[in-house]
Amino acid sequence: MNHDDKHRGKNVTGATIWLTGLPSAGKTTIAYELADRLRDEGHRVELLDGDEIREFLSAGLGFSREDRHTNVQRIGFVAELLASNGVKVLVPVIAPYADSREAVRKRHQREGTPYVEVHVATPVEVCSVRDVKGLYAKQAAGEISGLTGVDDPYEEPESPDLRIESQHQTVQESAAAVHALLTERGLS
């Protein structure tokens, strides 16, 4: 097998890389940086952005525990489907409940599809200062309720495949840490 064949074969291994964490933790920013790096290496990559999924795949769902679970399961189904077909699927989605994330992991295990859980463990104090979408400000002003990590629960992963404290490193360093894990597992 020549180098080109080896390289081509390596790039058809799909995987789901789920980045969980609070709003404004840096999940999506890290995912976009990682996506660029993986594409530069020749991988097929899709990024399933939580806001886009809510608009197109989960329209009509609210933010109750049941609706959040349904949303995460839908995303997990699409991610596994893509990953099982050779795509690196980056999923920067809060997924606040441990049982929902575990159900997605188990789906991947049943199908034999690689799954990596990354906890972007940025403290709520840092997230509220970043406040990318203005959610923390709206919650503080009483305009919204049910903000994950503030007045709605966020169950931190007990044993993620990787934990990133984005407040202590650059976006590039965070993406490099995820990439290193993928390389270690033969997925990059």
Side-chain angles (χ1 to χ4, degrees), residues 61-188:
L61 289 180
F63 291 91
S64 68
R65 185 180 178 109
E66 286 175 6
D67 283 357
R68 288 177 191 254
H69 180 76
T70 299
N71 185 50
V72 168
Q73 296 316 297
R74 288 177 182 176
I75 297 168
F77 173 80
V78 171
E80 194 285 321
L81 186 65
L82 289 166
S84 69
N85 283 283
V87 178
K88 298 290 187 299
V89 185
L90 306 180
V91 186
V93 172
I94 296 169
Y97 299 109
D99 60 343
S100 296
R101 293 189 306 265
E102 185 59 23
V104 171
R105 180 186 293 276
K106 284 182 178 171
R107 167 185 292 283
H108 281 72
Q109 287 172 340
R110 275 194 314 272
E111 300 300 326
T113 305
Y115 178 86
V116 176
E117 182 179 75
V118 177
H119 178 207
V120 183
T122 311
V124 69
E125 299 79 25
V126 174
C127 294
S128 65
V129 169
R130 289 179 181 172
D131 206 8
V132 179
K133 298 174 191 165
L135 297 175
Y136 292 93
K138 288 179 182 175
Q139 191 275 339
E143 295 172 26
I144 63 169
S145 62
L147 181 58
T148 301
V150 178
D151 60 353
D152 213 50
Y154 177 74
E155 299 170 359
E156 289 193 7
E158 289 182 19
S159 54
D161 298 291
L162 178 65
R163 192 176 315 274
I164 291 175
E165 294 183 358
S166 71
Q167 73 277 16
H168 297 307
Q169 59 192 48
T170 66
V171 172
Q172 293 76 17
E173 289 168 336
S174 294
V178 180
H179 188 271
L181 177 63
L182 296 177
T183 300
E184 178 185 303
R185 295 196 176 175
L187 298 172
S188 137

Side-chain angles (χ1 to χ4, degrees), residues 31 34-36 38-39 42-47 86-90:
L34 180 60
D36 288 345
L38 290 169
R39 285 186 185 109
H43 297 278
R44 294 169 56 209
V45 179
E46 286 296 332
L47 195 145
V87 178
K88 298 290 187 299
V89 185
L90 306 180

